[in-house]
Amino acid sequence: DLLTVGGGGRIAAACSTIGVPGHVDVWEVSSNDAKHRPLVSAREARSLAFTPDGRFLFVAETRNTALFDLDA
């Protein structure tokens, strides 16, 4: 399983690397409300990272990196 916290501790993302390829949940830490509908990348996620402002989430896959704009 993967977990990352970003945006000064305001936002979090998590996913399972077993059985659910590319399914990433993103939520506001203070309210526990979903920030975005579950994100789906093309392959199984290997690593998660936010930009410092928490606007973008990088999802590293086996051979690629997906970039999600969470304000879109």
Side-chain angles (χ1 to χ4, degrees), residues 9-69:
R10 297 178 297 109
I11 190 168
C15 72
S16 174
T17 59
I18 301 170
V20 188
H23 181 107
V24 180
D25 293 305
V26 180
W27 68 95
E28 295 285 340
V29 172
S30 63
S31 65
N32 204 29
D33 291 333
K35 167 78 174 164
H36 204 280
R37 68 189 190 304
L39 305 172
V40 179
S41 60
R43 304 233 190 274
E44 189 174 281
R46 300 292 183 173
S47 180
L48 303 172
F50 284 106
T51 55
D53 62 3
R55 179 176 175 189
F56 296 95
L57 175 66
F58 292 92
V59 179
E61 303 167 347
T62 304
R63 294 184 181 184
N64 298 307
T65 300
L67 176 63
F68 294 96
D69 183 347

